[in-house]
């Protein structure tokens, strides 16, 4: 168990950090229109407010 605590666990933590760093740094190389957050658009679909409305729509 000491080998896991001394070598494997810190290595996993460093690897996760490096993967997260690369993933966030990759935004620099994206085209400018892809680096922005995704736009939020309305779908035009109105959802019923309750589950009773869902069952009444099927009739």
């Amino acid at each position: 168990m000491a080998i896991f605590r001394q070598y494997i666990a810190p290595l996993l933590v460093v690897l996760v950090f490096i993967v997260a760093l690369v993933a966030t740094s990759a935004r620099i190389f994206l085209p400018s229109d892809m680096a922005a957050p995704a736009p939020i658009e309305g779908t035009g679909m109105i959802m019923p407010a309750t589950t009773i409305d869902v069952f009444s729509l099927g009739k």
Side-chain angles (χ1 to χ4, degrees), residues 1 6-8 20 24-25 27 31-32 37-38 44 48-49 52 55 58-59:
M1 194 60 144
Q6 287 181 342
Y7 298 107
I8 298 173
T24 54
S25 299
R27 295 186 63 178
S32 61
I52 296 171
F55 294 121
K59 294 180 181 179

Side-chain angles (χ1 to χ4, degrees), residues 16-39:
V16 168
F17 174 77
I18 290 173
V19 168
L21 183 66
V22 168
T24 54
S25 299
R27 295 186 63 178
I28 297 169
F29 302 105
L30 290 174
S32 61
D33 59 336
M34 290 182 68

Side-chain angles (χ1 to χ4, degrees), residues 36-44:
I40 300 174
E41 298 176 3
T43 59

